[in-house]
Amino acid sequence: MAAVLLCAQAAGQSGDADENIMRFMGAESLEDIDEENAERLAVYINHPLRLNQASMSRIVSSGLLSRYQAVSLADYRSRHGDVLSLVELSMIDGFGTCFVERLAPFISLDSGYRPGQNNAGHHPVRTEITTRAGMKYNDGMKGTGAVKVRMESGRRLDLSLAMSSPYGRFEADRLLYTASAELSFVKVPVRVLAGDFNARFGQGLILRNGMSLSTLASPSAFMKNPTGLSQTSSYTGTTAFTGTGCEASFRNVVLTGFLAFPGIRQLKNFKDDFRIMPSLNLSWFCRHGQIAVTHYAVSSLPGQSDPEESGMWTAVDTRWCFNGCDLFAEAAYDWKTCSPAALAGTLFPLGGNGRIAVMARWYPPLFHPFAAGAYGSGTTTNNEYGVTLSSEIGSTATAHRLVLTADAAHFPLPKKDDRGGSAQIKGLLVWEYKPFPVLTVKTRITERIRTWGMPFRTDIRTDVMYESGIFSAALRLNALKCAGWGLLSYVEAGSRRKKCSIFLRQGFFRIDDWQDRIYVYERDAPGSFNVPACYGRGFWTAVTCSARFSIWGKLYLRAAYTSYAFMHHEVKKPGRAELKMHFVCSF
């Protein structure tokens, strides 16, 4: 039964990369994913992580597996040889069928050895160059461009450079970029990074760059992987750390340290924003879990004004997995304000095809970490006490799937004009039904009730998706009630082949208040995550196509046009046209 389930799931996920990213992150819509995570995971869609060949540090820094999952995998391979099937992978401690279903599109089980043998692996030099250019007309012509170069030499050296220019006039001061280098030593388990990198420890209570998912998600999103230091190849690098770091492994202990310089990118214009940020993490792990301690400080240079962000933080986190039940927790202390904070939760199976997750968080008002990204906290992680309960019944390989999530939060410091402490309740209901193998109907309802601002916000959305062979079609119907009514709908049809694909989308929207705006994911080239907000009244048409010239080159094109109608007392907006070209060269 497990073999049939995993094979069906892997076959069903082979088509749309962004859908696979959404499932892996536990999000219930593509609009809930942040650009940096989508860009990071898209790399493994195009170049799957070779679990039988990659080093443990590479597996952990990918963010696909936790450290104790990597240890469990290494222990299994040392005793039984390479993993040769998804079913075999699901039987390893810490994995399981549900997790392997979501992991399958991002990994490869390539092995040149027979069962029972290990794969020493040959790792040639691989280079990938991506260029992107675009033009947009909206009250004048504007252009944008980007280039990304990445070179990987086996397990030893990884170089990355990405640059982009936002829409508008090209100026050197407006150029966004990231550059990083990673050197791994073969004989000693040491990694050294320099440039721009990600730093993600624990559950993100004090130290995790990047955005966090909303509290309205499926159980898969509750627990986070502490991936430590990893390279970033983002075009913007707005959330990355800049500096240098090192990671050393000693059997079941990993020591990680880095020295970052927040504000160094804005040093020319904002000298007082320059900081020094030393950090240290010590982790102990085994086949079933891990315990870690993280400590870092942020300080300004002598002579600068003492910023509010300066301070010192310490956290202890742990994660364990027993018989498919996951437990996680983290406790932190802000030394400047003498304020603690904590979160804890569990994720456990419900019958054969279900899961339940429960998490509680306690973020006092005085707790102010410099770079946090804990679940449900965005990037603030303060002034919030909350509890979240989520359940999922069924599987994407069966006819029905139901997700129920409820989140209740109390804010000790009132929001805006609210008197006393503010409160908020949010709920999510997702029902997915497959009456036929080629047809999927998914209904998503979210409700938000709070004691300040707009008290009620209801979002009802239904997606009907058809996919048979190379042809696919989708219909979206979306209604949102907050300040007024927001209505949006589109129809999309397309064909996807191995060497080429084309998709056509036609939609309309009627949204008269900014509070009722609706975000819509638009197809684009891999690594270009496009989620614009629809506001006003109008229609839009978009065409996206791709063509593969050979094994080393692929071209993506996107053309879109939006036409606006009159809005009450406002003057009619001019139409907006956009043309993008994206070329990827790998050799």
Side-chain angles (χ1 to χ4, degrees):
M1 180 65 181
V4 174
L5 179 64
L6 286 176
C7 291
Q9 181 68 15
Q13 290 185 344
S14 61
D16 198 304
D18 293 314
E19 289 285 341
N20 294 330
I21 294 173
M22 181 189 72
R23 293 189 188 98
F24 182 79
M25 295 183 62
E28 288 302 328
S29 71
L30 289 167
E31 290 77 12
D32 293 334
I33 304 175
D34 68 281
E35 181 179 1
E36 197 278 333
N37 275 319
E39 195 173 334
R40 173 178 60 86
L41 292 174
V43 173
Y44 297 103
I45 290 287
N46 300 319
H47 306 289
L49 180 68
R50 296 182 175 94
L51 287 187
N52 289 321
Q53 301 174 6
S55 63
M56 182 180 296
S57 60
R58 180 61 59 86
I59 292 175
V60 174
S61 63
S62 70
L64 299 176
L65 304 182
S66 65
R67 192 172 291 277
Y68 66 80
Q69 285 176 320
V71 172
S72 182
L73 176 64
D75 178 73
Y76 180 89
R77 290 184 58 218
S78 67
R79 292 183 288 111
H80 302 287
D82 286 352
V83 180
L84 302 179
S85 70
L86 295 177
V87 176
E88 184 181 3
L89 183 64
S90 68
M91 300 299 178
I92 300 176
D93 291 340
F95 285 80
T97 302
C98 292
F99 177 75
V100 174
E101 287 178 0
R102 297 184 290 114
L103 180 68
F106 304 93
I107 62 170
S108 169
L109 299 177
D110 294 342
S111 176
Y113 283 65
R114 292 172 296 182
Q117 293 182 325
N118 289 323
N119 192 340
H122 174 64
H123 307 278
V125 176
R126 188 182 71 196
T127 303
E128 182 173 280
I129 302 175
T130 303
T131 60
R132 186 177 67 189
M135 293 184 296
K136 180 171 65 175
Y137 182 84
N138 185 12
D139 289 336
M141 186 70 70
K142 298 178 181 179
T144 182
V147 61
K148 181 185 295 186
V149 180
R150 183 170 183 179
M151 185 182 73
E152 184 178 348
S153 177
R155 301 180 181 180
R156 297 188 178 186
L157 182 64
D158 198 337
L159 304 175
S160 177
L161 173 64
M163 296 183 294
S164 65
S165 174
Y167 277 107
R169 186 174 59 185
F170 177 80
E171 296 176 355
D173 292 342
R174 301 178 70 246
L175 188 66
L176 304 174
Y177 66 92
T178 59
S180 61
E182 177 181 337
L183 177 63
S184 299
F185 297 91
V186 177
K187 295 185 178 181
V188 291
V190 175
R191 287 195 307 140
V192 178
L193 289 88
D196 299 307
F197 56 87
N198 296 316
R200 294 167 179 165
F201 298 95
Q203 296 299 309
L205 193 54
I206 64 168
L207 186 55
R208 176 177 288 262
N209 66 302
M211 297 298 293
S212 177
L213 280 178
S214 164
T215 50
L216 297 182
S218 67
S220 304
F222 274 53
M223 189 171 55
K224 293 191 173 184
N225 281 343
T227 58
L229 302 183
S230 61
Q231 283 185 286
T232 178
S233 56
S234 171
Y235 283 108
T236 60
T238 54
T239 64
F241 293 104
T242 303
T244 183
C246 180
E247 177 187 281
S249 303
F250 309 94
R251 293 188 177 180
N252 291 356
V253 177
V254 176
L255 179 64
T256 305
F258 71 85
L259 180 63
F261 304 97
I264 193 171
R265 293 175 178 271
Q266 295 81 27
L267 188 58
K268 181 178 179 180
N269 299 321
F270 307 101
K271 294 183 179 180
D272 286 341
D273 288 346
F274 183 76
R275 310 281 182 263
I276 299 177
M277 181 180 176
S279 177
L280 193 65
N281 173 269
L282 182 64
S283 301
W284 175 85
F285 53 90
C286 61
R287 288 176 55 189
H288 296 284
Q290 62 188 65
I291 300 175
V293 179
T294 304
H295 179 83
Y296 77 96
V298 178
S299 176
S300 58
L301 295 177
Q304 290 181 317
S305 58
D306 185 21
E308 295 182 358
E309 292 84 359
S310 295
M312 187 168 60
W313 298 266
T314 303
V316 179
D317 66 271
T318 183
R319 286 186 54 176
W320 297 91
C321 179
F322 298 103
N323 297 324
C325 180
D326 292 288
L327 302 172
F328 60 95
E330 184 171 8
Y333 190 77
D334 186 338
W335 295 93
K336 183 178 180 180
T337 62
C338 299
S339 177
L343 65 84
T346 181
L347 173 64
F348 54 91
L350 178 65
N353 296 318
R355 289 172 295 171
I356 290 181
V358 182
M359 192 197 72
R361 57 192 186 276
W362 180 49
Y363 309 147
L366 295 179
F367 185 76
H368 286 275
F370 179 77
Y375 177 79
S377 66
T379 56
T380 54
T381 317
N382 62 19
N383 187 37
E384 183 178 349
Y385 308 147
V387 60
T388 307
L389 172 65
S390 181
S391 63
E392 180 178 7
I393 303 174
S395 171
T396 51
T398 62
H400 294 271
R401 175 175 171 265
L402 180 66
V403 175
L404 293 172
T405 301
D407 178 80
H410 170 68
F411 308 94
L413 294 181
K415 302 283 188 176
K416 294 185 178 180
D417 298 330
D418 200 7
R419 296 183 178 181
S422 301
Q424 178 175 268
I425 298 176
K426 295 191 293 185
L428 167 70
L429 185 149
V430 177
W431 178 59
E432 189 172 340
Y433 176 53
K434 299 188 69 170
F436 307 103
V438 297
L439 184 65
T440 303
V441 181
K442 183 176 181 180
T443 299
R444 180 177 184 266
I445 303 174
T446 62
E447 179 65 47
R448 185 197 68 194
I449 304 173
R450 63 187 188 185
T451 59
W452 76 95
M454 297 294 175
F456 299 97
R457 189 177 190 274
T458 305
D459 189 357
I460 302 176
R461 169 180 172 179
T462 296
D463 293 273
V464 181
M465 295 159 283
Y466 174 86
E467 186 170 0
S468 177
I470 64 172
F471 178 77
S472 64
L475 168 67
R476 173 175 174 179
L477 302 172
N478 204 161
L480 189 147
K481 181 67 172 71
C482 187
W485 280 96
L487 302 175
L488 182 142
S489 179
Y490 66 73
V491 177
E492 182 182 71
S495 173
R496 179 188 289 109
R497 299 174 182 269
K498 290 184 178 181
K499 293 188 176 182
C500 63
S501 66
I502 182 169
F503 289 88
L504 173 64
R505 177 179 294 187
Q506 176 68 60
F508 84 93
F509 53 93
R510 179 176 176 174
I511 306 167
D512 294 332
D513 194 293
W514 178 249
Q515 296 287 343
D516 306 318
R517 64 191 181 275
I518 298 177
Y519 291 91
V520 180
Y521 166 78
E522 293 282 0
R523 289 186 182 273
D524 212 321
S528 300
F529 200 66
N530 188 12
V531 186
C534 288
Y535 165 62
R537 297 184 183 183
F539 300 84
W540 88 94
T541 303
V543 179
T544 308
C545 58
S546 66
R548 180 179 292 277
F549 297 102
S550 64
I551 60 174
W552 55 266
K554 197 166 186 178
L555 177 67
Y556 299 86
L557 292 173
R558 169 179 163 81
Y561 179 75
T562 304
S563 175
Y564 293 94
F566 284 98
M567 291 179 54
H568 294 311
H569 58 278
E570 294 186 11
V571 179
K572 181 180 179 181
K573 296 182 180 179
R576 182 179 63 187
E578 185 178 43
L579 177 64
K580 286 185 179 180
M581 182 176 65
H582 191 111
F583 182 72
V584 179
C585 177
S586 303
F587 55 90

